[in-house]
Structure formats: C-alpha cells, structure tokens
Amino acid sequence: MKEKLSKIMEDAMAQIDASGQLEKLNEIRVAFLGKKGELTSVLKSMKDVAPEERPKVGQMVNDARSAIEEKLEQKKALFEKKLLEEKIKSETIDVTLPGRRMGIGHRHPNTITLEEVENIFVGMGYNVVEGPEVEYDYYNFEALNIPENHPAKDEQDTFYITKDILLRTQTSSVQVHEMEKGKLPIRMIAPGRVFRSDEVDATHSPTFHQIEGLVIDQGITFADLKGTLQEFAIRLFGEGTKVKFRPHHFQFTEPSAEMDVSCFKCGGKGCRFCKGSGWVEILGCGMVHPHVLEMSGIDPEKYTGFAFGVGLERIALFKYEIDDMRLLYENDTRFLKQF
Ligand code: DAH
C-alpha cells in the first residue's frame, strides 16, 4: 500500500512538473484527486487493510492529497504570474512613439469663391444678407412678377412642400424680403442655397448656390448696372477681363440681360473651356421691373434699381477649371486640397 501511494505521488508530481498550461492542471487534479481518481480508489480499498493499520494508511493518503494539492497550487500560481506578465507586456504604451497625424480638412472651392465675391461687393458698400431656404410661393414667384400658371414657373422645376410653400428655386426671393423692410436705399448681396428638381450630371444638381444682388436708390440707371458688374468681373477674373451684355428676358427685370466674360483661359481666342466662342456666360441681370418695386411697396416713380443673379458653382468651376460639378459635392479631400 505504501509503495502504491508513493508511486501515485511520484506520478502526480511528475505530471504537474511537465504540464504546460493552466487547463492541464485541472485534468491532473481530476485524474488523481477526483471521485474516480487514483487516490480516491486507494481510500476505497481501505477495507482490505487490517483495522489497526487503517489510521496510519488514512493519514498517509491525506498527506499525499495535501502534497499534490499544494504542488498544484504552486504550479497554478506560476502559470498565472506568467500570463499576467505577458498581458502587461502586450499592453505597455511606448510613450516615445511619435503621434498619429490627424487628417485635416480643406476649404471648399465654393467657400473660397463666395468669400472673394463677398469681399468685392462689401468693398463697394454692399450688405451681405440671408433669406429662408423654405419659402412661400409668393416670395419665390408671385412677388417677382411670376404669377400662377405663368409658363416661367415651369422653367424652374420646383420642389413643393405644400401648395404655397416650396424650396426656393432662386435667391431672387431675398430681394422681396429686403424691399419689404422699407429701408432705402438698398445695396445687398444674398448668397444661399437653392433647389430645383434636376437630375444630377456634370452641369446640374438638385441643389446649388446662387448669389443675388440688388441695388435700389434714386436715379439708378443701366449704366450703374454695367459699371458695377464690369468692375466685379475684373476683380474676380483679373485685369483685362472683358464683359459683354446680351439682351435676355427675366420676369422681374426690364430690360434684362445676360453678362458674358471673356474666357480667361484662352483670352478670348476660343478653347475647349469656352466651347470655342471666347466668351463664358456668367450671370443674369436687369433693371428691377416697376411692378416688382410696386408690389413690395416702393414707388417706381421715385426709385429705380438693378438686380443680378450669379451661380456660385458656375463661377467656381470656371475659375478653377473644374469640368464636372459633381466633384464639388463629393467633398473628397484629395480633390479639395488642390485649391
Ligand atoms: N434668378 C435668376 C435665375 O435663377 C437669375 C437672375 C437673373 C437674378 C436676373 C436676378 C436677375 O436678380 O436680375 O436664373
């Protein structure tokens, strides 16, 4: 019996020594100390031992159990220490490593262009004002001389919210708000987002930006309009830029015109950019229609004025020689960083 016990002990110790992982220790514990374990089976065979010998053998079995348990605990502590060390090692932070660079953004060509336009007009004494993007039909159409059922309404495919409320199709609506305030003279530009139910392509988008201009005072003439917009074109596109006014039609101005600027890319000789013509259309303008003044409470006998509307994206595309409008809406920093 004694030999059997010391054989079991030896086996257990050797197996514990050889174990390579924490899980293995549990298997050893079950194999030796479990209900069907080797040590337990010795206890079961106690009945074969002479009664006077039993206490002694019992003591030996208990000693063996304690020794194995102790050895198991020691080994377990060793494994746990090693695991902890590995964890600490993997989680240490090297404070001497250089930091990761954060990607930074870049100003959008629209923003850069808008600031340039604003600076030019603020320098001429204009105020920069804003109006609502969600607008009454009255401000977007009716008060601009575009009555219900007028075909001009169809030209600007409109997102309607209700019968009377819509997403503005033009910043011209801001003119009406300014005139209604009744404070004259007016010298304002109104930049902002407009909406039209257009399909997306290289030159169209359901949302884009316009800059509206309005001047109302006594004695304003078409010569003021021409001089102002020519100066604007030269400051924006550079010395030597030529302008040309072509007769046009807008409901809210009379007379109306479109202004072209000489292509700064080819200097007017004709290139891919200006489609060979040497000119690029840049804005719509005209003398404010007397009926429009009247509807907003301004006496057309006393006051006259001019107005203009520019597409912001149109200018940005032209100025920065970008040939697809969609690039302006993707906000890819690799694109934006070029400006
Ligand atoms: N609102 C016009 C458009 O969206 C642009 C425009 C033309 C505005 C002539 C004006 C103007 O103020 O006088 O096409």
Side-chain angles (χ1 to χ4, degrees), residues 156 170 172 175 196 210 212 250 252-253 284-286 307-309:
Q156 304 191 353
Q170 48 186 355
S172 303
Q175 291 185 20
R196 293 184 195 180
Q210 288 185 333
E212 194 73 17
F250 294 106
F252 36 92
T253 44
C285 57
F308 56 91

Side-chain angles (χ1 to χ4, degrees), residues 69 84 117 162 197 199 210 231 335:
E69 266 172 0
L84 190 67
V117 173
T162 67
S197 56
E199 297 282 337
Q210 288 185 333
E231 184 62 19
F335 167 73

